[in-house]
Amino acid sequence: MSENEEKIITHTLPGMMELLPSEQIEFDRMKGIIEETYRKYGFVPIDTPAIERAEVLDAKAGGETEKQIYKFNKGDTEMALRFDLTVPLARYVAEHENDLVFPFRRYHIGKSYRGESPQKGRFREFYQCDIDIIGREKLGLSNDAEIIAAINDVFTALNIGAHKVRVSNRKLLAGLAEASGISDKTAEVSRVIDRLEKTGEAKVKEDLVAVGLSDAAIGDVMRFASVKGSAGEVISSLRGLGIDNPLFEQGVSELESLANDLGAYGVPESNFAIDCSIVRGLDYYTGTVYETILTDHPEFGSVCGGGRYENLVSKFSNRAFPGVGVSIGLTRLFSQLLSAGIVKPGAASTAKVLVVPITENMRAVLELGAYLRSQGIAVQIYTEEAKMDKKMSYADKLSIPFAVIVGDDEINEGKYALKDLGTGEQKKLSKEEIVKKIG
Amino acid sequence: MSENEEKIITHTLPGMMELLPSEQIEFDRMKGIIEETYRKYGFVPIDTPAIERAEVLDAKAGGETEKQIYKFNKGDTEMALRFDLTVPLARYVAEHENDLVFPFRRYHIGKSYRGESPQKGRFREFYQCDIDIIGREKLGLSNDAEIIAAINDVFTALNIGAHKVRVSNRKLLAGLAEASGISDKTAEVSRVIDRLEKTGEAKVKEDLVAVGLSDAAIGDVMRFASVKGSAGEVISSLRGLGIDNPLFEQGVSELESLANDLGAYGVPESNFAIDCSIVRGLDYYTGTVYETILTDHPEFGSVCGGGRYENLVSKFSNRAFPGVGVSIGLTRLFSQLLSAGIVKPGAASTAKVLVVPITENMRAVLELGAYLRSQGIAVQIYTEEAKMDKKMSYADKLSIPFAVIVGDDEINEGKYALKDLGTGEQKKLSKEEIVKKIG
């Protein structure tokens, strides 16, 4: 292709996050913390193909999501890119049931795809970092707290400011609806009270009238959704509502048990709250539901959500696999943290030291670099022909913390000039001393 | 969906690798070693979207590969899944040229996609682990050795048996072809001698006749392709061929310089060889070419290949970006290693210890688990209701190395029974002693 021919557009597609190295290193560091914490809780990795049979995804998607699925054909098979990591987990459990040990605790950190109309904070390719605990036929309630304990550890380790896990239980509203004779309207009522924080009490009441609730039912719902306080206070307030319904009572007991377990796990009370207005969009949740906010940045919205479901894999298996899990939307979170300046791009190199030759004796230079690497130090060797200035400014631009300058005198002496590029301090050291100093 | 309805097929699509947890942990361990080694060499991570504009990929693909690209539309945009990590690198460099520092050293570990007809060892979704060093306008020759040094470190650290990096230089055959007046047949001659090891000398001669070479030219080519020995021997033999051509001579000098640099890097002579029959398929290589074999498993074929190219991004930019790089096909390699029993699935848990309650006091159990985790130990807590047998066999099935048994006596005493599930040995220890023992 000649110089005058038109070159191809190189912009990434809209809605795709592509980072510069200094940002990518930071992203990978955060991803590493999440993975390490998940492993500390004994979750095992899985890594399913990003491409599934289209019918596998269609089975669970429905509505808006279904329209957003990227589909394509190759030969006879209709294929699609996964839109989350939950459906692939369901398929995985159904397929490998006999090779898995239950409760099955898996983490999955991978990319999902949705053809959304790109707008601020919405991505078409995005990382999700999921954990789920899946039982066969049954799964104990303590697992609901275990998930929060892990998430609390993750957000503490990420060191991006205070966080709060907000918890509710789907059985509360379902039970309340039964007691008030509005079970047929549970979904609509859920959607309305989900907006309580945003729209305020007056608007919610108005919307509940529009849904067709009686004054008495509206009173019940509003009293329920407005319960506030510490976990202990919320639980007694809920009991004090006088709602006589077994499902509601079960929901309260489950929340009480969850709060007790969180105490045992050492999750600080400031890091979680029971909030009855939490609903979560996905229909398959049946018990505990979570979302997590960064306390100082409520405008980020929920950075991590999940909950308990009665059966993960009903579309694929005749057996019941109850589970509980949570997902961190890392791509969106990272993009928000970067915009808000909470996370800052750092070095643009993984190297701790740049070896800078001012000699023709490249053999000695390469040997020194190889030695430092053999001692576990991340090293970059500047082998290009260039003036000294340019070599040092290379280290500077990449924010490599140290440079080792290697000239003929240094080689003969066996002592090299180690320069701290932060302080400008320079010392002559043997290769062993360099390792001791920066290793 | 009722129990009697037909369930959806849960098999992964053909040509997709999906691992069980015990295999996945091993895969991730290997991937981690590769990444860690790349970082030790100062390569920085990039992570481009798996979906590119179709025209970006079409620009480079051509031939068989082009037919294998997965394409799809959403609105007006034709999109495609990447088939390697090199084209995305070219696009990335062209797009971010002004924000990158050259030489730009990047690693990229990610999935690529090709709609190949699935057969043993061919995958439609596969991990590639790439490193490349990209210069702007120019790039020193030492970088060619740096890549081999990194690859040699990777395969040494992977501990999967002996390996050998086989090296040649495209300028040799191009120069020989010039000298023999067969420049128009270089590509065909390359393909023929690429098969020398497989098909033998007689067949290669026959094929060269078919290509239309004169007896004299065939003699030149065969003498060239059959050169064997240590790096030093090959270089003198090549010089002894009496081929009077500047390109050929440059190729020999580059190989000589490469061999010297590899010595300085401490790459053992047994781990590399100059082999003039190495060609590599991709047309864009212009100098050094590599491939790597596992010495004891030549049937695996090349597990890692790459080379030097004059210009990475000619389709996207008017500027020249010469580079050198290499790619490990990890999915295929892992699948081969698993089949050959060189890599074995290990534990199906990331946990070091299973906390096993034999008490109703779950608070004390969760507290102990949380304490051990706070000390950096990977812990799984068995919270399901089950008989003791079942709890211990859970640890066994997952190959968790230790169990801590927590009963009421243990809680009162502050000493817990730590059982080594390998040896069966059991000891009563305080929580601090447990950390000391297995932390």
Side-chain angles (χ1 to χ4, degrees):
Chain A
M1 188 178 275
S2 89
E3 297 217 352
N4 297 320
E5 264 183 86
E6 216 176 307
K7 300 296 174 180
I8 291 161
I9 300 173
T10 58
H11 303 307
T12 46
L13 288 160
M16 304 281 178
M17 187 169 88
E18 179 164 273
L19 300 172
L20 289 172
S22 56
E23 300 162 336
Q24 189 69 53
I25 290 172
E26 191 54 25
F27 181 91
D28 288 3
R29 193 186 62 79
M30 289 182 60
K31 184 152 69 76
I33 289 172
I34 296 170
E35 177 160 24
E36 198 188 322
T37 308
Y38 286 171
R39 292 174 76 101
K40 208 171 71 181
Y41 278 77
F43 290 95
V44 293
I46 72 169
D47 183 4
T48 66
I51 305 175
E52 296 274 359
R53 288 174 206 281
E55 54 173 353
V56 165
L57 299 187
D58 288 347
K60 253 294 160 44
E64 204 43 44
T65 308
E66 180 135 7
K67 281 181 239 148
Q68 296 172 346
I69 299 179
Y70 290 112
K71 288 188 191 168
F72 47 96
N73 283 76
K74 204 90 194 172
D76 295 340
T77 319
E78 215 194 339
M79 291 178 270
L81 296 179
R82 66 183 173 213
F83 59 87
D84 73 3
L85 302 178
T86 307
V87 180
L89 170 63
R91 202 253 320 128
Y92 185 93
V93 167
E95 180 167 2
H96 303 293
E97 179 188 341
N98 296 327
D99 295 309
L100 299 176
V101 184
F102 294 89
F104 172 55
R105 301 159 68 89
R106 84 87 177 79
Y107 74 86
H108 190 173
I109 297 177
K111 290 176 170 181
S112 292
Y113 298 87
R114 292 189 189 189
E116 305 205 58
S117 43
Q119 40 178 285
K120 208 172 149 48
R122 293 268 177 176
F123 291 94
R124 289 177 165 180
E125 179 188 69
F126 52 96
Y127 273 96
Q128 287 179 296
C129 309
D130 283 25
I131 42 175
D132 284 88
I133 308 174
I134 313 292
R136 185 152 54 186
E137 313 291 358
K138 59 190 175 147
L139 182 74
L141 192 61
S142 291
N143 293 288
D144 298 34
E146 169 94 354
I147 295 284
I148 298 183
I151 287 304
N152 179 61
D153 259 10
V154 164
F155 281 94
T156 304
L158 285 176
N159 194 24
I160 50 174
H163 66 275
K164 199 185 279 285
V165 183
R166 303 205 281 192
V167 192
S168 186
N169 192 303
R170 282 275 177 98
K171 289 173 185 167
L172 296 176
L173 194 62
L176 170 67
E178 269 181 23
S180 306
I182 52 166
S183 283
D184 55 325
K185 301 195 166 72
T186 311
E188 286 162 278
V189 172
S190 296
R191 270 191 289 277
V192 172
I193 70 159
D194 193 29
R195 293 193 298 261
L196 178 58
E197 202 175 46
K198 254 187 223 161
T199 59
E201 204 170 308
K203 176 76 170 86
V204 164
K205 277 185 184 164
E206 207 176 285
D207 290 348
L208 290 176
V209 172
V211 168
L213 258 55
S214 68
D215 282 359
I218 291 176
D220 288 348
V221 170
M222 290 310 294
R223 267 193 303 282
F224 161 72
S226 313
V227 165
K228 288 264 174 293
S230 70
E233 286 162 3
V234 170
I235 285 159
S236 17
S237 298
L238 288 174
R239 293 214 163 106
L241 288 177
I243 295 165
D244 183 19
N245 174 278
L247 199 55
F248 184 84
E249 281 159 24
Q250 197 189 340
V252 177
S253 298
E254 288 185 8
L255 276 177
E256 188 173 32
S257 162
L258 181 71
N260 283 337
D261 287 348
L262 289 177
Y265 274 116
V267 176
E269 278 204 39
S270 56
N271 289 3
F272 72 94
I274 301 179
D275 183 333
C276 298
S277 73
I278 301 296
V279 175
R280 300 298 305 160
L282 287 166
D283 286 336
Y284 60 82
Y285 294 125
T286 50
T288 310
V289 280
Y290 324 109
E291 58 182 54
T292 302
I293 54 160
L294 298 188
T295 319
D296 300 330
H297 293 277
E299 75 279 12
F300 286 9
S302 174
V303 297
C304 166
R308 156 76 68 154
Y309 38 88
E310 278 315 311
N311 194 359
L312 176 69
V313 301
S314 58
K315 307 290 177 193
F316 307 118
S317 170
N318 288 325
R319 220 155 168 173
F321 290 89
V324 59
V326 90
S327 177
I328 302 174
L330 184 57
T331 297
R332 182 157 165 271
L333 173 60
F334 186 79
S335 148
Q336 290 170 320
L337 291 170
L338 210 55
S339 296
I342 300 167
V343 155
K344 290 183 183 69
S349 172
T350 54
K352 190 88 180 266
V353 61
L354 182 72
V355 174
V356 179
I358 43 171
T359 171
E360 297 294 300
N361 183 356
M362 286 305 288
R363 183 169 189 98
V365 172
L366 300 183
E367 277 172 357
L368 178 67
Y371 171 78
L372 295 175
R373 282 174 182 155
S374 77
Q375 301 303 302
I377 297 174
V379 173
Q380 197 170 326
I381 310 174
Y382 196 98
T383 52
E384 304 308 299
E385 279 179 37
K387 297 218 174 93
M388 187 63 182
D389 276 8
K390 198 178 167 194
K391 292 179 184 180
M392 296 306 285
S393 94
Y394 182 79
D396 226 48
K397 281 184 199 154
L398 295 179
S399 303
I400 300 175
F402 293 95
V404 176
I405 297 147
V406 186
D408 291 321
D409 290 352
E410 282 83 357
I411 295 167
N412 293 333
E413 220 183 318
K415 292 214 170 200
Y416 310 90
L418 177 71
K419 185 168 183 175
D420 182 324
L421 295 169
T423 64
E425 199 194 348
Q426 190 166 323
K427 257 190 203 164
K428 279 216 163 179
L429 298 172
S430 72
K431 59 184 188 177
E432 293 83 5
E433 288 166 336
I434 294 174
V435 172
K436 221 175 267 175
K437 172 93 181 169
I438 68 172
Chain B
M1 187 177 273
S2 90
E3 296 216 353
N4 297 320
E5 264 181 84
E6 216 175 305
K7 299 296 174 181
I8 291 161
I9 300 172
T10 58
H11 303 307
T12 46
L13 288 159
M16 304 281 177
M17 185 169 90
E18 179 163 274
L19 300 172
L20 289 171
S22 56
E23 300 162 338
Q24 190 68 52
I25 290 171
E26 192 55 24
F27 182 92
D28 288 2
R29 194 186 62 79
M30 290 182 60
K31 184 154 69 75
I33 289 172
I34 295 170
E35 177 160 22
E36 199 189 324
T37 308
Y38 286 171
R39 290 175 75 102
K40 210 171 71 183
Y41 279 76
F43 290 95
V44 292
I46 71 168
D47 183 3
T48 66
I51 305 175
E52 296 273 1
R53 288 173 207 281
E55 56 174 350
V56 165
L57 300 186
D58 287 346
K60 221 45 196 267
E64 204 45 43
T65 308
E66 180 136 8
K67 280 181 242 148
Q68 296 172 347
I69 299 179
Y70 291 112
K71 287 186 193 169
F72 48 97
N73 283 76
K74 204 90 192 175
D76 295 340
T77 320
E78 216 194 338
M79 292 178 269
L81 295 178
R82 66 182 174 214
F83 59 86
D84 73 4
L85 302 179
T86 306
V87 181
L89 171 63
R91 203 248 327 124
Y92 185 92
V93 167
E95 180 167 0
H96 303 291
E97 180 189 340
N98 295 326
D99 294 310
L100 299 176
V101 185
F102 294 90
F104 171 55
R105 302 157 69 89
R106 84 88 176 80
Y107 74 86
H108 191 172
I109 298 177
K111 290 176 170 180
S112 293
Y113 298 87
R114 293 187 189 191
E116 307 205 56
S117 45
Q119 40 178 287
K120 208 171 149 48
R122 294 269 178 176
F123 292 94
R124 290 177 164 179
E125 180 189 69
F126 51 97
Y127 274 95
Q128 286 179 298
C129 310
D130 282 25
I131 42 175
D132 283 88
I133 308 174
I134 313 292
R136 185 152 55 185
E137 311 292 358
K138 59 188 176 149
L139 183 75
L141 193 60
S142 290
N143 293 289
D144 297 34
E146 169 94 355
I147 295 285
I148 299 183
I151 287 304
N152 179 61
D153 259 11
V154 164
F155 281 95
T156 305
L158 284 176
N159 193 25
I160 50 175
H163 66 275
K164 199 184 280 284
V165 182
R166 303 205 281 193
V167 191
S168 187
N169 192 306
R170 282 275 177 98
K171 290 174 184 165
L172 296 176
L173 193 64
L176 170 67
E178 270 182 22
S180 304
I182 52 165
S183 283
D184 56 325
K185 301 197 166 72
T186 311
E188 287 163 279
V189 172
S190 295
R191 271 191 290 277
V192 172
I193 71 160
D194 192 31
R195 294 193 298 262
L196 178 58
E197 202 175 47
K198 255 188 223 160
T199 59
E201 204 170 310
K203 176 78 170 84
V204 163
K205 278 186 186 161
E206 206 175 285
D207 290 348
L208 290 176
V209 172
V211 168
L213 258 53
S214 68
D215 283 359
I218 291 176
D220 288 347
V221 169
M222 292 308 294
R223 267 193 303 283
F224 162 74
S226 314
V227 165
K228 290 261 175 291
S230 69
E233 286 162 4
V234 170
I235 286 159
S236 13
S237 298
L238 288 173
R239 293 218 163 101
L241 289 177
I243 294 165
D244 183 18
N245 175 278
L247 198 56
F248 184 85
E249 281 159 24
Q250 198 190 339
V252 177
S253 297
E254 289 185 6
L255 277 176
E256 189 174 31
S257 162
L258 182 71
N260 284 337
D261 287 347
L262 289 177
Y265 274 115
V267 176
E269 279 205 37
S270 56
N271 289 4
F272 73 95
I274 300 179
D275 183 332
C276 298
S277 73
I278 301 298
V279 174
R280 302 297 305 161
L282 287 166
D283 285 335
Y284 60 84
Y285 295 126
T286 49
T288 311
V289 280
Y290 324 109
E291 57 182 54
T292 302
I293 54 160
L294 298 188
T295 320
D296 299 331
H297 293 277
E299 76 278 11
F300 286 9
S302 174
V303 296
C304 166
R308 157 75 68 152
Y309 37 88
E310 280 313 313
N311 194 358
L312 175 69
V313 301
S314 58
K315 305 290 177 198
F316 306 118
S317 169
N318 287 325
R319 221 156 169 171
F321 290 89
V324 59
V326 89
S327 178
I328 301 174
L330 184 58
T331 298
R332 182 156 166 271
L333 173 60
F334 186 80
S335 148
Q336 290 170 320
L337 291 169
L338 209 56
S339 297
I342 300 166
V343 155
K344 290 184 182 69
S349 173
T350 54
K352 190 89 181 265
V353 60
L354 183 72
V355 174
V356 180
I358 43 171
T359 171
E360 297 293 300
N361 182 355
M362 285 306 286
R363 182 169 188 98
V365 173
L366 300 184
E367 277 173 356
L368 178 67
Y371 170 78
L372 295 175
R373 282 174 182 155
S374 76
Q375 302 302 301
I377 297 174
V379 173
Q380 197 170 328
I381 310 174
Y382 196 99
T383 52
E384 303 308 299
E385 279 179 37
K387 295 214 174 101
M388 187 63 182
D389 276 9
K390 196 176 169 199
K391 292 180 184 180
M392 296 307 285
S393 94
Y394 182 79
D396 225 48
K397 281 183 198 156
L398 296 180
S399 303
I400 300 176
F402 293 95
V404 176
I405 297 146
V406 186
D408 291 321
D409 291 351
E410 282 83 357
I411 294 167
N412 293 331
E413 217 184 321
K415 293 214 169 202
Y416 311 90
L418 177 72
K419 184 167 184 176
D420 182 325
L421 295 169
T423 64
E425 198 194 349
Q426 189 165 322
K427 257 192 202 162
K428 278 215 163 179
L429 298 173
S430 71
K431 59 185 187 177
E432 293 83 6
E433 288 167 336
I434 293 173
V435 173
K436 219 175 269 177
K437 173 95 180 166
I438 67 173

